[in-house]
Amino acid sequence: MEALEPLVQSSIQAASVTYDTKSLTTIFEQCKTVVEAELQMLYACRNVTRNPKARDLHVILSDSASQLRDALAEMQRNINRMASEAGVILGVVENISRSIALTDETTSQTITGTFTDAQTRMISALEEISRLATDMPLTPPESLGSLALRLSERYSDLATDSRLAIATLSSPNLAQKLRVAVQKLGTACIEEVKIAGQRRAHPADQASILKIFSDKIFTNIRGY
């Protein structure tokens, strides 16, 4: 019983940092299964203690212990898988978040070029981001990791070039509009990556996840 409280607390902590509602529900359901299995085993232990010669009670105890082991093993497999998926997605989200923050920084003197140079590269990045956003809903879950990583790389390129474009614009108003547009696109990219993470985490439940697929990324791209 002493192990139950740490298990429950750890499940709550894991759920608190899980952006995926389905994973959150799975964590709680599996925690509940483990707790119930342990309680059943404890009841079986009590009954065996009271009736040590009753063979049927020993069988029940053995079955209860087996069910507890299976429940723990299943929960451990699921947590390990979630941790792996979360690590990939979290890293990509952090990269995009850093790129968004970069657009608020003053342009370094080492960054040189003209607005036309920046515009050309930004258009190229936008075209690839648009293609990636179109391809990701149709891509098998196991291949989404590389696309999400590429999406973050191209957004990083876009954010870097936007700083040059912003610095070379003569109109502060236009510069601010461009900055905001790039930041909104970054937020849309993060949403896209999170949905990709949900698809990777739940490959058997693609239909329901795709229903929540957001078109914000396309709206922001058209905003340029």
Side-chain angles (χ1 to χ4, degrees):
M1 289 294 288
E2 292 181 358
L4 284 181
E5 185 174 351
L7 173 65
V8 173
Q9 291 297 328
S10 297
S11 297
I12 293 173
Q13 290 175 3
S16 69
V17 296
T18 301
Y19 63 81
D20 180 358
T21 303
K22 199 172 189 67
S23 294
L24 184 151
T25 302
T26 300
I27 290 172
F28 284 139
E29 287 180 347
Q30 291 189 323
C31 179
K32 178 184 176 183
T33 299
V34 169
V35 171
E36 290 175 344
E38 182 161 354
L39 287 174
Q40 289 300 318
M41 190 185 73
L42 289 174
Y43 292 146
C45 287
R46 182 192 61 185
N47 293 335
V48 167
T49 301
R50 292 176 177 176
N51 303 278
K53 295 183 179 181
R55 291 186 177 181
D56 58 329
L57 295 180
H58 285 274
V59 173
I60 293 174
L61 175 58
S62 178
D63 290 343
S64 298
S66 179
Q67 290 174 7
L68 177 58
R69 284 195 300 270
D70 291 344
L72 285 169
E74 179 63 24
M75 187 173 188
Q76 185 176 24
R77 282 194 296 269
N78 194 51
I79 292 297
N80 288 340
R81 178 182 57 77
M82 287 182 184
S84 176
E85 297 293 345
V88 172
I89 298 304
L90 181 60
V92 174
V93 168
E94 287 180 345
N95 287 339
I96 297 175
S97 297
R98 283 194 293 268
S99 296
I100 293 174
L102 187 69
T103 61
D104 282 324
E105 296 181 6
T106 304
T107 305
S108 170
Q109 293 182 351
T110 60
I111 300 178
T112 59
T114 66
F115 177 82
T116 302
D117 295 333
Q119 183 184 44
T120 300
R121 291 192 295 268
M122 288 174 70
I123 290 174
S124 175
L126 281 169
E127 288 175 348
E128 186 167 0
I129 289 172
S130 178
R131 180 182 60 77
L132 289 167
T134 302
D135 291 346
M136 287 176 75
L138 308 175
T139 300
E142 63 272 13
S143 302
L144 284 170
S146 60
L147 292 187
L149 180 59
R150 182 59 180 169
L151 182 69
S152 73
E153 291 172 347
R154 293 306 279 146
Y155 178 76
S156 177
D157 294 338
L158 176 72
T160 299
D161 284 318
S162 74
R163 294 174 65 200
L164 173 59
I166 290 168
T168 53
L169 279 171
S170 58
S171 169
N173 185 45
L174 289 177
Q176 179 60 18
K177 286 184 177 180
L178 177 58
R179 179 183 291 108
V180 171
V182 172
Q183 291 173 346
K184 285 184 176 180
L185 177 60
T187 300
C189 287
I190 288 176
E191 293 178 3
E192 177 97 355
V193 168
K194 287 183 176 181
I195 292 174
Q198 292 183 41
R199 290 188 59 210
R200 279 167 58 92
H202 306 286
D205 191 22
Q206 298 299 297
S208 61
I209 294 174
L210 287 175
K211 285 181 181 179
I212 64 172
F213 183 79
S214 173
D215 65 350
K216 288 184 179 180
I217 192 166
F218 303 110
T219 301
N220 282 293
I221 290 172
R222 287 196 296 267
Y224 280 95

Short mmCIF file of all heavy atoms in Angstrom, two decimals, residues 188-220:
data_model
loop_
_atom_site.label_atom_id
_atom_site.label_comp_id
_atom_site.label_asym_id
_atom_site.label_seq_id
_atom_site.Cartn_x
_atom_site.Cartn_y
_atom_site.Cartn_z
N ALA A 188 0.86 28.83 -34.91
CA ALA A 188 0.13 27.84 -35.71
C ALA A 188 0.99 26.60 -35.97
O ALA A 188 0.48 25.48 -35.96
CB ALA A 188 -0.31 28.47 -37.03
N CYS A 189 2.28 26.81 -36.18
CA CYS A 189 3.19 25.67 -36.38
C CYS A 189 3.26 24.81 -35.13
O CYS A 189 3.32 23.57 -35.21
CB CYS A 189 4.59 26.18 -36.75
SG CYS A 189 4.74 26.84 -38.43
N ILE A 190 3.26 25.45 -33.96
CA ILE A 190 3.28 24.69 -32.71
C ILE A 190 2.02 23.84 -32.59
O ILE A 190 2.08 22.67 -32.19
CB ILE A 190 3.41 25.65 -31.50
CG1 ILE A 190 4.82 26.24 -31.45
CG2 ILE A 190 3.08 24.93 -30.19
CD1 ILE A 190 5.02 27.27 -30.36
N GLU A 191 0.88 24.40 -32.94
CA GLU A 191 -0.37 23.64 -32.90
C GLU A 191 -0.30 22.44 -33.85
O GLU A 191 -0.75 21.33 -33.52
CB GLU A 191 -1.54 24.54 -33.27
CG GLU A 191 -1.82 25.63 -32.24
CD GLU A 191 -2.96 26.55 -32.67
OE1 GLU A 191 -3.55 26.29 -33.74
OE2 GLU A 191 -3.26 27.50 -31.94
N GLU A 192 0.28 22.67 -35.01
CA GLU A 192 0.42 21.60 -36.00
C GLU A 192 1.30 20.47 -35.44
O GLU A 192 0.98 19.28 -35.58
CB GLU A 192 1.06 22.17 -37.27
CG GLU A 192 1.33 21.15 -38.35
CD GLU A 192 0.24 21.12 -39.39
OE1 GLU A 192 -0.76 21.82 -39.20
OE2 GLU A 192 0.40 20.40 -40.37
N VAL A 193 2.39 20.85 -34.79
CA VAL A 193 3.31 19.86 -34.23
C VAL A 193 2.64 19.08 -33.10
O VAL A 193 2.82 17.86 -32.96
CB VAL A 193 4.59 20.55 -33.73
CG1 VAL A 193 5.43 19.60 -32.89
CG2 VAL A 193 5.40 21.07 -34.91
N LYS A 194 1.86 19.76 -32.28
CA LYS A 194 1.18 19.07 -31.18
C LYS A 194 0.17 18.05 -31.69
O LYS A 194 0.03 16.96 -31.14
CB LYS A 194 0.49 20.10 -30.27
CG LYS A 194 1.46 20.89 -29.41
CD LYS A 194 0.73 21.85 -28.49
CE LYS A 194 1.68 22.58 -27.56
NZ LYS A 194 0.97 23.50 -26.64
N ILE A 195 -0.54 18.41 -32.75
CA ILE A 195 -1.48 17.46 -33.34
C ILE A 195 -0.73 16.27 -33.92
O ILE A 195 -1.16 15.12 -33.80
CB ILE A 195 -2.34 18.15 -34.42
CG1 ILE A 195 -3.26 19.19 -33.78
CG2 ILE A 195 -3.17 17.13 -35.19
CD1 ILE A 195 -4.04 20.03 -34.77
N ALA A 196 0.43 16.55 -34.52
CA ALA A 196 1.27 15.45 -35.03
C ALA A 196 1.69 14.55 -33.87
O ALA A 196 1.73 13.32 -34.02
CB ALA A 196 2.50 16.02 -35.73
N GLY A 197 1.97 15.15 -32.73
CA GLY A 197 2.34 14.36 -31.56
C GLY A 197 1.20 13.46 -31.09
O GLY A 197 1.42 12.31 -30.70
N GLN A 198 -0.01 13.97 -31.15
CA GLN A 198 -1.17 13.16 -30.77
C GLN A 198 -1.35 11.99 -31.74
O GLN A 198 -1.68 10.88 -31.33
CB GLN A 198 -2.43 14.02 -30.76
CG GLN A 198 -2.44 15.06 -29.65
CD GLN A 198 -3.75 15.84 -29.61
OE1 GLN A 198 -4.82 15.28 -29.79
NE2 GLN A 198 -3.66 17.14 -29.41
N ARG A 199 -1.12 12.25 -33.01
CA ARG A 199 -1.26 11.17 -34.00
C ARG A 199 -0.18 10.11 -33.80
O ARG A 199 -0.44 8.92 -33.96
CB ARG A 199 -1.18 11.75 -35.42
CG ARG A 199 -2.38 12.59 -35.82
CD ARG A 199 -2.31 12.96 -37.29
NE ARG A 199 -2.26 11.75 -38.10
CZ ARG A 199 -1.64 11.67 -39.28
NH1 ARG A 199 -1.01 12.73 -39.77
NH2 ARG A 199 -1.64 10.55 -39.96
N ARG A 200 1.03 10.55 -33.47
CA ARG A 200 2.11 9.59 -33.21
C ARG A 200 1.82 8.77 -31.96
O ARG A 200 2.12 7.58 -31.89
CB ARG A 200 3.44 10.33 -33.05
CG ARG A 200 4.10 10.72 -34.37
CD ARG A 200 5.23 11.71 -34.14
NE ARG A 200 6.24 11.18 -33.23
CZ ARG A 200 7.32 10.51 -33.62
NH1 ARG A 200 7.51 10.27 -34.90
NH2 ARG A 200 8.21 10.09 -32.74
N ALA A 201 1.24 9.43 -30.97
CA ALA A 201 0.96 8.74 -29.70
C ALA A 201 -0.22 7.78 -29.81
O ALA A 201 -0.30 6.81 -29.07
CB ALA A 201 0.70 9.76 -28.60
N HIS A 202 -1.13 8.07 -30.75
CA HIS A 202 -2.34 7.24 -30.88
C HIS A 202 -2.56 6.88 -32.35
O HIS A 202 -3.50 7.35 -32.99
CB HIS A 202 -3.56 8.00 -30.34
CG HIS A 202 -3.38 8.50 -28.94
ND1 HIS A 202 -3.43 7.67 -27.84
CD2 HIS A 202 -3.12 9.74 -28.46
CE1 HIS A 202 -3.23 8.37 -26.75
NE2 HIS A 202 -3.03 9.62 -27.09
N PRO A 203 -1.69 6.04 -32.89
CA PRO A 203 -1.79 5.69 -34.32
C PRO A 203 -3.07 4.98 -34.71
O PRO A 203 -3.46 5.00 -35.87
CB PRO A 203 -0.57 4.79 -34.54
CG PRO A 203 -0.24 4.25 -33.18
CD PRO A 203 -0.57 5.35 -32.22
N ALA A 204 -3.75 4.37 -33.73
CA ALA A 204 -4.98 3.63 -34.05
C ALA A 204 -6.22 4.52 -34.01
O ALA A 204 -7.32 4.07 -34.28
CB ALA A 204 -5.16 2.47 -33.08
N ASP A 205 -6.04 5.79 -33.66
CA ASP A 205 -7.19 6.68 -33.50
C ASP A 205 -7.01 7.92 -34.36
O ASP A 205 -7.16 9.04 -33.89
CB ASP A 205 -7.35 7.05 -32.03
CG ASP A 205 -8.67 7.75 -31.75
OD1 ASP A 205 -9.60 7.59 -32.56
OD2 ASP A 205 -8.76 8.47 -30.75
N GLN A 206 -6.69 7.72 -35.62
CA GLN A 206 -6.38 8.84 -36.51
C GLN A 206 -7.60 9.69 -36.85
O GLN A 206 -7.53 10.91 -36.92
CB GLN A 206 -5.75 8.32 -37.80
CG GLN A 206 -4.44 7.59 -37.58
CD GLN A 206 -3.38 8.49 -36.96
OE1 GLN A 206 -2.97 9.47 -37.56
NE2 GLN A 206 -2.95 8.17 -35.76
N ALA A 207 -8.74 9.06 -37.04
CA ALA A 207 -9.92 9.78 -37.52
C ALA A 207 -10.35 10.88 -36.56
O ALA A 207 -10.56 12.03 -36.96
CB ALA A 207 -11.08 8.81 -37.75
N SER A 208 -10.44 10.55 -35.27
CA SER A 208 -10.92 11.54 -34.30
C SER A 208 -9.92 12.66 -34.12
O SER A 208 -10.29 13.81 -33.89
CB SER A 208 -11.20 10.86 -32.96
OG SER A 208 -10.03 10.28 -32.44
N ILE A 209 -8.61 12.33 -34.22
CA ILE A 209 -7.59 13.37 -34.06
C ILE A 209 -7.60 14.32 -35.25
O ILE A 209 -7.47 15.54 -35.10
CB ILE A 209 -6.20 12.73 -33.87
CG1 ILE A 209 -6.16 11.95 -32.56
CG2 ILE A 209 -5.11 13.79 -33.89
CD1 ILE A 209 -4.89 11.17 -32.34
N LEU A 210 -7.77 13.77 -36.44
CA LEU A 210 -7.77 14.62 -37.63
C LEU A 210 -8.97 15.55 -37.67
O LEU A 210 -8.94 16.58 -38.33
CB LEU A 210 -7.74 13.75 -38.89
CG LEU A 210 -6.40 13.07 -39.18
CD1 LEU A 210 -6.53 12.13 -40.37
CD2 LEU A 210 -5.32 14.10 -39.44
N LYS A 211 -10.02 15.21 -36.93
CA LYS A 211 -11.19 16.09 -36.88
C LYS A 211 -10.86 17.43 -36.25
O LYS A 211 -11.50 18.44 -36.53
CB LYS A 211 -12.33 15.41 -36.11
CG LYS A 211 -13.02 14.30 -36.88
CD LYS A 211 -14.15 13.70 -36.07
CE LYS A 211 -14.82 12.56 -36.83
NZ LYS A 211 -15.91 11.94 -36.03
N ILE A 212 -9.85 17.43 -35.35
CA ILE A 212 -9.50 18.68 -34.68
C ILE A 212 -8.35 19.39 -35.39
O ILE A 212 -7.80 20.36 -34.88
CB ILE A 212 -9.11 18.42 -33.21
CG1 ILE A 212 -7.85 17.56 -33.13
CG2 ILE A 212 -10.23 17.76 -32.46
CD1 ILE A 212 -7.30 17.42 -31.72
N PHE A 213 -7.99 18.89 -36.57
CA PHE A 213 -6.90 19.51 -37.31
C PHE A 213 -7.25 20.96 -37.62
O PHE A 213 -8.29 21.27 -38.18
CB PHE A 213 -6.65 18.74 -38.61
CG PHE A 213 -5.49 19.29 -39.40
CD1 PHE A 213 -4.19 18.97 -39.04
CD2 PHE A 213 -5.71 20.11 -40.48
CE1 PHE A 213 -3.14 19.47 -39.75
CE2 PHE A 213 -4.65 20.61 -41.20
CZ PHE A 213 -3.36 20.29 -40.84
N SER A 214 -6.39 21.86 -37.25
CA SER A 214 -6.67 23.29 -37.38
C SER A 214 -6.18 23.83 -38.71
O SER A 214 -5.14 23.42 -39.22
CB SER A 214 -5.99 24.06 -36.24
OG SER A 214 -6.12 25.44 -36.44
N ASP A 215 -6.95 24.78 -39.27
CA ASP A 215 -6.52 25.41 -40.52
C ASP A 215 -5.84 26.75 -40.26
O ASP A 215 -5.63 27.54 -41.16
CB ASP A 215 -7.71 25.61 -41.46
CG ASP A 215 -8.73 26.60 -40.89
OD1 ASP A 215 -8.61 26.97 -39.71
OD2 ASP A 215 -9.65 26.97 -41.63
N LYS A 216 -5.47 27.02 -39.00
CA LYS A 216 -4.85 28.30 -38.67
C LYS A 216 -3.54 28.51 -39.42
O LYS A 216 -3.20 29.62 -39.79
CB LYS A 216 -4.58 28.37 -37.16
CG LYS A 216 -5.84 28.55 -36.33
CD LYS A 216 -5.50 28.70 -34.87
CE LYS A 216 -6.75 28.90 -34.03
NZ LYS A 216 -6.43 29.05 -32.59
N ILE A 217 -2.80 27.44 -39.62
CA ILE A 217 -1.51 27.59 -40.29
C ILE A 217 -1.69 28.10 -41.71
O ILE A 217 -0.94 28.94 -42.19
CB ILE A 217 -0.71 26.26 -40.26
CG1 ILE A 217 0.73 26.52 -40.69
CG2 ILE A 217 -1.35 25.20 -41.11
CD1 ILE A 217 1.66 25.38 -40.38
N PHE A 218 -2.74 27.62 -42.38
CA PHE A 218 -2.99 28.07 -43.74
C PHE A 218 -3.47 29.52 -43.74
O PHE A 218 -3.11 30.31 -44.61
CB PHE A 218 -4.03 27.17 -44.41
CG PHE A 218 -3.65 25.73 -44.42
CD1 PHE A 218 -4.33 24.81 -43.64
CD2 PHE A 218 -2.59 25.28 -45.19
CE1 PHE A 218 -3.97 23.48 -43.63
CE2 PHE A 218 -2.22 23.94 -45.19
CZ PHE A 218 -2.91 23.04 -44.41
N THR A 219 -4.27 29.88 -42.75
CA THR A 219 -4.75 31.26 -42.64
C THR A 219 -3.58 32.22 -42.47
O THR A 219 -3.52 33.27 -43.10
CB THR A 219 -5.71 31.39 -41.45
OG1 THR A 219 -6.81 30.50 -41.64
CG2 THR A 219 -6.23 32.82 -41.32
N ASN A 220 -2.63 31.84 -41.61
CA ASN A 220 -1.48 32.70 -41.37
C ASN A 220 -0.57 32.79 -42.59
O ASN A 220 -0.01 33.84 -42.87
CB ASN A 220 -0.69 32.19 -40.17
CG ASN A 220 -1.35 32.58 -38.86
OD1 ASN A 220 -1.42 33.74 -38.52
ND2 ASN A 220 -1.86 31.60 -38.13
#
